[in-house]
Amino acid sequence: MKNIIKITLLLFSAVCSAQTTVIDILDKDGTRTTGAYYQDTNNLLNTFEGTWLYTNGSTSLKIELVKKIRQYNRAYYEDLIIGEYEYKVNNVVLISTLSEINTIYPNQREHNIDGNSLIKKTTKPTCDDCLNDEKRLELGFIDPILDSYGYMIVKKTTQNGQEAIRIRTKREGIGTPWIIGTPEPPRDFTVPAGEYILIKQ
């Protein structure tokens, strides 16, 4: 009897999987198909995974990026990169979310870094030193201390012969609307917006 139940469950699972529409993340066009699976068919996200470190004197920025497969976001499934980070100045930690990297959220896009948009050389901000077929990765970026959000553009590169990423961050807004008469919110992230080169650890 147990074997019959196991076989039935396996068949049901296979039928459900077979009915899911699979769409390559490179073919995303801004629309979303409910129940579809936006898959990293060519494993392009894999090259961005890892622990990456920027240092400049006593200032450092560490970013950990992890690929997650077939994550459900209450509308469709997707492969994506999630991440967390730590920023130190004069060896004092100003912000660290690294302890959250293994947190399993109902929607993995709740991490402080997340996304799966692979963008072309000509996508703004344009990339003068990208190869014609090279893809950069656009990720959402959240500063939980300052309640601000923006994005991060990630480009694969090398630094002194070592595997590296070049990131550019830009702040776009704040999570809680500002009320006139209250102190103005900060105009930047805790990690100053700009460009950083991080070496793979």
Side-chain angles (χ1 to χ4, degrees), residues 9-20:
L9 288 173
L10 285 172
L11 287 172
F12 179 74
S13 176
V15 167
C16 289
S17 296
Q19 292 176 350
T20 300

PDB file of all heavy atoms in Angstrom, residues 9-20:
ATOM      1  N   LEU A   9       2.048   9.650  -5.723  1.00  0.00           N
ATOM      2  CA  LEU A   9       2.585  10.977  -5.444  1.00  0.00           C
ATOM      3  C   LEU A   9       3.648  11.377  -6.467  1.00  0.00           C
ATOM      4  O   LEU A   9       3.688  12.527  -6.913  1.00  0.00           O
ATOM      5  CB  LEU A   9       3.170  11.032  -4.030  1.00  0.00           C
ATOM      6  CG  LEU A   9       2.144  11.027  -2.889  1.00  0.00           C
ATOM      7  CD1 LEU A   9       2.848  10.906  -1.544  1.00  0.00           C
ATOM      8  CD2 LEU A   9       1.289  12.291  -2.928  1.00  0.00           C
ATOM      9  N   LEU A  10       4.509  10.441  -6.850  1.00  0.00           N
ATOM     10  CA  LEU A  10       5.537  10.727  -7.849  1.00  0.00           C
ATOM     11  C   LEU A  10       4.914  11.070  -9.196  1.00  0.00           C
ATOM     12  O   LEU A  10       5.333  12.017  -9.869  1.00  0.00           O
ATOM     13  CB  LEU A  10       6.496   9.536  -8.003  1.00  0.00           C
ATOM     14  CG  LEU A  10       7.511   9.350  -6.882  1.00  0.00           C
ATOM     15  CD1 LEU A  10       8.261   8.036  -7.055  1.00  0.00           C
ATOM     16  CD2 LEU A  10       8.490  10.514  -6.861  1.00  0.00           C
ATOM     17  N   LEU A  11       3.888  10.310  -9.599  1.00  0.00           N
ATOM     18  CA  LEU A  11       3.205  10.585 -10.870  1.00  0.00           C
ATOM     19  C   LEU A  11       2.517  11.939 -10.831  1.00  0.00           C
ATOM     20  O   LEU A  11       2.580  12.718 -11.792  1.00  0.00           O
ATOM     21  CB  LEU A  11       2.197   9.480 -11.194  1.00  0.00           C
ATOM     22  CG  LEU A  11       2.797   8.137 -11.637  1.00  0.00           C
ATOM     23  CD1 LEU A  11       1.709   7.078 -11.748  1.00  0.00           C
ATOM     24  CD2 LEU A  11       3.512   8.294 -12.963  1.00  0.00           C
ATOM     25  N   PHE A  12       1.860  12.255  -9.720  1.00  0.00           N
ATOM     26  CA  PHE A  12       1.178  13.543  -9.574  1.00  0.00           C
ATOM     27  C   PHE A  12       2.178  14.689  -9.666  1.00  0.00           C
ATOM     28  O   PHE A  12       1.955  15.689 -10.348  1.00  0.00           O
ATOM     29  CB  PHE A  12       0.429  13.591  -8.240  1.00  0.00           C
ATOM     30  CG  PHE A  12      -0.278  14.893  -8.006  1.00  0.00           C
ATOM     31  CD1 PHE A  12      -1.447  15.199  -8.708  1.00  0.00           C
ATOM     32  CD2 PHE A  12       0.220  15.822  -7.103  1.00  0.00           C
ATOM     33  CE1 PHE A  12      -2.094  16.404  -8.502  1.00  0.00           C
ATOM     34  CE2 PHE A  12      -0.425  17.024  -6.895  1.00  0.00           C
ATOM     35  CZ  PHE A  12      -1.590  17.308  -7.590  1.00  0.00           C
ATOM     36  N   SER A  13       3.323  14.533  -9.007  1.00  0.00           N
ATOM     37  CA  SER A  13       4.378  15.550  -9.031  1.00  0.00           C
ATOM     38  C   SER A  13       4.913  15.736 -10.445  1.00  0.00           C
ATOM     39  O   SER A  13       5.134  16.855 -10.904  1.00  0.00           O
ATOM     40  CB  SER A  13       5.509  15.142  -8.089  1.00  0.00           C
ATOM     41  OG  SER A  13       6.557  16.053  -8.171  1.00  0.00           O
ATOM     42  N   ALA A  14       5.118  14.631 -11.162  1.00  0.00           N
ATOM     43  CA  ALA A  14       5.630  14.702 -12.537  1.00  0.00           C
ATOM     44  C   ALA A  14       4.641  15.403 -13.455  1.00  0.00           C
ATOM     45  O   ALA A  14       5.017  16.224 -14.292  1.00  0.00           O
ATOM     46  CB  ALA A  14       5.939  13.297 -13.052  1.00  0.00           C
ATOM     47  N   VAL A  15       3.350  15.106 -13.294  1.00  0.00           N
ATOM     48  CA  VAL A  15       2.322  15.734 -14.123  1.00  0.00           C
ATOM     49  C   VAL A  15       2.282  17.238 -13.849  1.00  0.00           C
ATOM     50  O   VAL A  15       2.222  18.051 -14.772  1.00  0.00           O
ATOM     51  CB  VAL A  15       0.939  15.089 -13.868  1.00  0.00           C
ATOM     52  CG1 VAL A  15      -0.166  15.926 -14.481  1.00  0.00           C
ATOM     53  CG2 VAL A  15       0.911  13.683 -14.441  1.00  0.00           C
ATOM     54  N   CYS A  16       2.346  17.636 -12.568  1.00  0.00           N
ATOM     55  CA  CYS A  16       2.320  19.055 -12.215  1.00  0.00           C
ATOM     56  C   CYS A  16       3.532  19.778 -12.789  1.00  0.00           C
ATOM     57  O   CYS A  16       3.420  20.886 -13.323  1.00  0.00           O
ATOM     58  CB  CYS A  16       2.292  19.248 -10.702  1.00  0.00           C
ATOM     59  SG  CYS A  16       0.701  18.767  -9.993  1.00  0.00           S
ATOM     60  N   SER A  17       4.706  19.140 -12.705  1.00  0.00           N
ATOM     61  CA  SER A  17       5.924  19.749 -13.233  1.00  0.00           C
ATOM     62  C   SER A  17       5.850  19.894 -14.741  1.00  0.00           C
ATOM     63  O   SER A  17       6.309  20.880 -15.316  1.00  0.00           O
ATOM     64  CB  SER A  17       7.156  18.921 -12.852  1.00  0.00           C
ATOM     65  OG  SER A  17       7.308  18.923 -11.455  1.00  0.00           O
ATOM     66  N   ALA A  18       5.287  18.888 -15.404  1.00  0.00           N
ATOM     67  CA  ALA A  18       5.210  18.903 -16.857  1.00  0.00           C
ATOM     68  C   ALA A  18       4.304  20.020 -17.360  1.00  0.00           C
ATOM     69  O   ALA A  18       4.450  20.497 -18.477  1.00  0.00           O
ATOM     70  CB  ALA A  18       4.720  17.551 -17.361  1.00  0.00           C
ATOM     71  N   GLN A  19       3.367  20.481 -16.551  1.00  0.00           N
ATOM     72  CA  GLN A  19       2.430  21.504 -16.981  1.00  0.00           C
ATOM     73  C   GLN A  19       2.940  22.921 -16.745  1.00  0.00           C
ATOM     74  O   GLN A  19       2.315  23.879 -17.176  1.00  0.00           O
ATOM     75  CB  GLN A  19       1.092  21.303 -16.261  1.00  0.00           C
ATOM     76  CG  GLN A  19       0.387  20.034 -16.691  1.00  0.00           C
ATOM     77  CD  GLN A  19      -0.892  19.789 -15.895  1.00  0.00           C
ATOM     78  OE1 GLN A  19      -1.152  20.460 -14.918  1.00  0.00           O
ATOM     79  NE2 GLN A  19      -1.659  18.816 -16.323  1.00  0.00           N
ATOM     80  N   THR A  20       4.075  23.082 -16.092  1.00  0.00           N
ATOM     81  CA  THR A  20       4.630  24.399 -15.834  1.00  0.00           C
ATOM     82  C   THR A  20       5.292  24.928 -17.100  1.00  0.00           C
ATOM     83  O   THR A  20       6.102  24.248 -17.712  1.00  0.00           O
ATOM     84  CB  THR A  20       5.668  24.332 -14.693  1.00  0.00           C
ATOM     85  OG1 THR A  20       5.029  23.857 -13.515  1.00  0.00           O
ATOM     86  CG2 THR A  20       6.279  25.692 -14.422  1.00  0.00           C
TER      87      THR A  20
END
